């Protein structure tokens, strides 16, 4: 179990790193666009499209597994602190299962969007140039699927602990 925990942690950290690199790329790209627009008088073409269709999607969806793994997702624990340890464990297990089902359902739906956009070859027109955006439709199902796996692993770990 410790080995699988380590693997899940490394995958989650890797995805968070990729999301961080995407954020850094977004900052550099936008800063370069502002400098080019104000100093040279010539903005970098397709900045808005690249930011909205590539960077933002990368930043929003890939780190989901890391957020779940580090238990950094927003939660409300109004009554849980008053529950005995056994009931808290049951509550944590049920939350993990519900989150797993929700993440799996969203994975299924976003996978369908990816397949549709892949088949069509979705793109945006930027000054007469076709910027393909279909690859970015793969990021949401990937992020949600990995978050679902993390929640499934959490449920298995909770079920496997004895108290």
């Amino acid at each position: 179990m410790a080995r699988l925990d380590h693997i899940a942690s490394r995958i989650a950290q890797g995805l968070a790193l990729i999301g961080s690199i995407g954020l850094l790329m977004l900052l550099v790209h936008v800063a370069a666009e502002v400098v080019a627009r104000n100093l040279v008088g010539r903005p970098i073409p397709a900045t808005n499209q690249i930011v909205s269709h590539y960077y933002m999607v990368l930043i929003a969806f890939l780190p989901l597994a890391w957020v779940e793994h580090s238990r950094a997702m927003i939660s409300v624990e109004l009554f849980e602190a008053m529950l005995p340890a056994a009931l808290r464990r049951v509550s944590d297990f049920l939350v993990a299962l519900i989150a797993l089902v929700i993440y799996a359902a969203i994975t299924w739906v976003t996978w369908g969007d990816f397949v549709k956009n892949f088949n069509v070859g979705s793109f945006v027109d930027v000054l007469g140039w076709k910027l393909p955006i279909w690859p970015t439709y793969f990021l949401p199902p990937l992020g949600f699927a990995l978050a679902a796996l993390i929640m499934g692993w959490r449920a298995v770990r909770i079920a496997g602990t004895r108290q």
Side-chain angles (χ1 to χ4, degrees), residues 68 71 88-106 144 147-160:
E68 285 293 359
R71 294 182 177 260
R88 248 184 278 138
R89 199 169 132 244
V90 169
S91 171
D92 290 344
F93 179 76
L94 290 174
V95 166
L97 282 181
I98 291 168
L100 166 66
V101 168
I102 290 169
Y103 280 135
I106 297 172
F144 287 123
L149 287 174
I150 292 292
M151 296 312 290
W153 178 241
R154 183 178 297 161
V156 166
R157 281 185 23 230
I158 292 168

Side-chain angles (χ1 to χ4, degrees), residues 32-86:
E33 200 276 335
V34 168
V35 167
R37 183 171 20 102
N38 290 322
L39 292 181
V40 182
R42 190 156 161 84
I44 298 173
T47 296
N48 289 339
Q49 290 81 2
I50 292 170
V51 165
S52 61
H53 290 285
Y54 280 86
Y55 299 136
M56 297 301 275
V57 176
L58 179 79
I59 293 166
F61 294 107
L62 275 192
L64 277 174
W66 175 75
V67 171
E68 285 293 359
H69 185 268
S70 60
R71 294 182 177 260
M73 194 62 79
I74 296 171
S75 65
V76 177
E77 299 170 351
L78 187 61
F79 300 111
E80 191 166 303
M82 295 183 279
L83 295 175

